């Protein structure tokens, strides 16, 4: 069976940036399981999987536009601690996230992450950590099957390696 929209693909993968920096991989012996056509994986990888089948090995280069988008320089900023509500000012630390207006487009809300705190300076970014990165995937397809009606209506794969809930 070939990979198409609404099929469930299990595959092993390794992904690195174009500079060769390791980003992620499937666990040893445990492939990732994904319902295709529902945004579960980056669009560039979905496109490359379409038409492939079990046993196929692929090397896929995905530009930022088909991965996590371009980095927006306006979303990397240094703000003063006093701009945060009093109840969180003293607790600010790297890794904390908050939603705020885009600095240039007030109608748009962005999820920011605190990357550092030095004195009263708080370094924040609203860019995904992989924004602007070209990603290099190495993929080996383990199996392909049709998605069930439940999976297609939920928008994710069920079962081992898939979404655990219900
Ligand atoms: Zn579900």
């Amino acid at each position: 069976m070939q990979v198409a929209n609404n099929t469930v693909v299990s595959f092993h993968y390794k992904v690195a940036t174009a500079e060769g920096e390791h980003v992620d991989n499937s666990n040893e012996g445990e492939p990732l399981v994904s319902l295709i056509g529902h945004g579960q994986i980056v669009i560039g990888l979905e496109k490359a999987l379409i038409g492939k089948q079990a046993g196929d090995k692929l090397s896929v280069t995905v530009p930022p536009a088909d991965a996590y988008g371009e980095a927006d320089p306006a979303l990397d900023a240094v703000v003063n601690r006093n701009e945060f509500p009093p109840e969180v000012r003293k607790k600010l630390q790297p890794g904390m996230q908050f939603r705020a207006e885009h600095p240039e487009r007030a109608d748009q809300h962005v999820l920011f992450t605190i990357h550092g705190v030095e004195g009263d300076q708080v370094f924040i970014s609203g860019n995904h950590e992989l924004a602007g990165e070209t990603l290099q995937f190495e993929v080996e397809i383990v199996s392909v099957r049709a998605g069930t009606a439940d999976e297609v209506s939920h928008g994710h794969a069920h079962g081992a390696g898939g979404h655990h809930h219900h």
Side-chain angles (χ1 to χ4, degrees), residues 154 156 158 163 165-166:
H154 291 183
H156 51 234
H158 292 162
H163 207 86
H165 71 138
H166 317 306

Side-chain angles (χ1 to χ4, degrees), residues 8-27:
V8 172
V9 182
S10 43
F11 59 98
H12 286 291
Y13 72 99
K14 265 190 297 195
V15 56
T17 63
E19 295 78 39
E21 190 185 334
H22 174 82
V23 175
D24 198 10
N25 57 261
S26 48
N27 296 325

Side-chain angles (χ1 to χ4, degrees), residues 47-166:
K47 285 186 196 165
L49 288 171
I50 299 289
K52 301 295 189 295
Q53 52 196 2
D56 283 354
K57 291 181 185 177
L58 299 71
S59 184
V60 187
T61 303
V62 180
D66 281 344
Y68 294 96
E70 297 291 350
D72 179 348
L75 295 180
D76 290 317
V78 185
V79 295
N80 192 284
R81 185 187 291 275
N82 292 331
E83 293 182 47
F84 289 86
E87 64 272 20
V88 300
R89 251 173 232 166
K90 289 207 162 57
K91 302 183 216 160
L92 298 176
Q93 54 178 306
M96 286 175 66
Q97 294 186 315
F98 60 96
R99 281 196 177 276
E101 282 176 1
H102 188 289
E104 292 167 355
R105 294 188 289 277
D107 57 332
Q108 196 179 320
H109 281 71
V110 178
L111 182 66
F112 286 89
T113 302
I114 295 177
H115 286 292
V117 181
E118 286 176 24
D120 282 338
Q121 288 189 312
V122 184
F123 297 82
I124 64 171
S125 178
N127 285 308
H128 188 282
E129 60 180 334
L130 293 173
E133 297 282 2
T134 294
L135 300 178
Q136 182 65 43
F137 286 89
E138 303 299 328
V139 174
E140 181 172 359
I141 299 176
V142 176
S143 67
V144 184
R145 64 170 170 84
T148 66
D150 270 357
E151 287 174 320
V152 171
S153 78
H154 291 183
H156 51 234
H158 292 162
H163 207 86
H164 296 278
H165 71 138
H166 317 306

